[in-house]
Amino acid sequence: MASNKLRSPKLLNHSPANLSIRLMWVGVGITAVFILIAGLAPLFQAWGWIQSPTELLSNPIHHPPSAEHWFGTTRQGYDVFSRTLFGSQAALKVVVLATLMSLLIGVPLGLASGYLGGTLDRLLLFLMDAIYTLPGLLLSITLAFVVGRGLVNAAIALSIAYIPQYYRIVRNHTVSIKTELYVEAAQAMGASTWHVLSRYLFANAIQSVPVLFTLNAADAILILGSLGFLGLGLPETTPEWGNDLRQALEALPTGIWWTAFFPGMTMTLMVVGLSMLGEGLNEFVNPKLRQNR
């Protein structure tokens, strides 16, 4: 009787694995909404549905949320709703650029280091471990001081902090895979290094990268917001959640809560969505996680 209960579809539907899949789809939905908002925000402005995020009101006195200004306005006279929508566009641009840059650098280095070994492997391991030991936020702040403010510069500052993560995961996979029989057979048949890397090693070593990409994107949003809050991210007038939170800090003691609440909650929601997506992907990429639950 107990065995039949354990096998019943009703109980299986409530397993942790199925819960992770549901959470993943919630993450997919949240992420898709933000991507849609980022793409449609310029159209909304062109159609006159929302105000320009950099346009000051004729009457710059702050207004609480209302039918005219859904998220209220700032003390400077900016529409919070418009800046929040366009903030998702800035976040996605920087985060996608940063994670792509770190992926395109870290993955090839990991493949070459793990497969070739020797002096190259030791030098790269030393360099990547040195970078990896530094906290991502601290490293990004330091690099932001060096490269300056701007969208591309912020992406560079973020990407350097993530390169070691892609390098380490791909390098470790490559080291474990290169001794497999099918790889040694390809080498014995005279396959070139490029052919072995691209045909046999890359496809296996890349499996965990989508999960890391998604989780890094969530982390990058928080770091970008921190850089903006410190005045080191995008230019001050650019609609970006960290910039808006820094400007809202001065208004909070006077009771103007909405200038900090809406950008902060929006950033939090996007981070939660990406984190759910990453954890759900991890269930598919690592079947052992499902077996251990």
Side-chain angles (χ1 to χ4, degrees):
M1 294 293 292
S3 176
N4 291 334
K5 289 182 180 180
L6 289 175
R7 294 179 182 177
S8 66
K10 185 175 181 180
L11 291 179
L12 288 175
N13 287 335
H14 291 82
S15 67
N18 286 331
L19 178 60
S20 297
I21 293 174
R22 292 191 185 98
L23 290 177
M24 183 193 70
W25 283 113
V26 172
V28 169
I30 294 173
T31 305
V33 168
F34 277 103
I35 293 174
L36 191 63
I37 289 173
L40 294 179
L43 291 177
F44 292 160
Q45 179 187 340
W47 294 337
W49 293 359
I50 60 175
Q51 182 181 324
S52 170
T54 58
E55 178 185 350
L56 294 173
L57 297 176
S58 56
N59 182 11
I61 299 176
H62 56 271
H63 299 279
S66 63
E68 185 178 1
H69 301 285
W70 290 359
F71 290 177
T73 64
T74 67
R75 291 201 303 177
Q76 295 82 8
Y78 295 115
D79 183 74
V80 177
F81 181 69
S82 177
R83 290 185 67 84
T84 301
L85 293 188
F86 275 89
S88 63
Q89 188 180 74
L92 285 173
K93 284 181 180 179
V94 174
V95 167
V96 170
L97 183 58
T99 47
L100 280 178
M101 290 169 62
S102 54
L103 184 151
L104 293 175
I105 296 173
V107 170
L109 288 179
L111 284 171
S113 178
Y115 181 69
L116 299 177
T119 303
L120 175 66
D121 185 41
R122 290 192 293 272
L123 288 175
L124 286 175
L125 270 175
F126 175 79
L127 176 62
M128 295 299 171
D129 285 346
I131 298 175
Y132 190 73
T133 56
L134 298 173
L137 177 58
L138 178 61
L139 180 59
S140 298
I141 291 174
T142 304
L143 293 171
F145 271 114
V146 176
V147 299
R149 304 176 76 168
L151 191 147
V152 176
N153 290 344
I156 292 174
L158 289 170
S159 66
I160 295 177
Y162 296 130
I163 289 174
Q165 299 183 32
Y166 291 99
Y167 166 83
R168 286 161 64 98
I169 193 171
V170 172
R171 185 254 177 199
N172 292 341
H173 273 81
T174 303
V175 169
S176 63
I177 295 170
K178 71 177 183 180
T179 56
E180 295 290 338
L181 291 178
Y182 63 89
V183 177
E184 294 181 349
Q187 294 171 334
M189 295 176 62
S192 64
T193 300
W194 170 254
H195 181 76
V196 174
L197 286 173
S198 60
R199 176 67 177 83
Y200 298 101
L201 298 179
F202 176 77
N204 290 283
I206 203 71
Q207 291 181 4
S208 297
V209 168
V211 177
L212 184 59
F213 185 94
T214 307
L215 296 177
N216 278 348
D219 185 62
I221 289 174
L222 291 176
I223 295 181
L224 177 63
S226 300
L227 291 178
F229 187 78
L230 296 172
L232 300 172
L234 303 186
E236 185 173 350
T237 57
T238 303
E240 190 272 317
W241 297 324
N243 283 342
D244 292 344
L245 288 174
R246 180 168 58 87
Q247 296 174 9
L249 185 63
E250 301 176 357
L252 281 176
T254 61
I256 309 176
W257 56 269
W258 54 88
T259 57
F261 176 80
F262 291 110
M265 287 301 298
T266 305
M267 181 170 63
T268 301
L269 183 60
M270 189 172 186
V271 170
V272 170
L274 286 169
S275 299
M276 286 182 175
L277 176 57
E279 291 298 333
L281 284 175
N282 207 18
E283 291 282 346
F284 289 102
V285 174
N286 299 310
K288 291 183 180 179
L289 292 178
R290 296 195 296 271
Q291 296 174 3
N292 294 334
R293 289 179 182 272

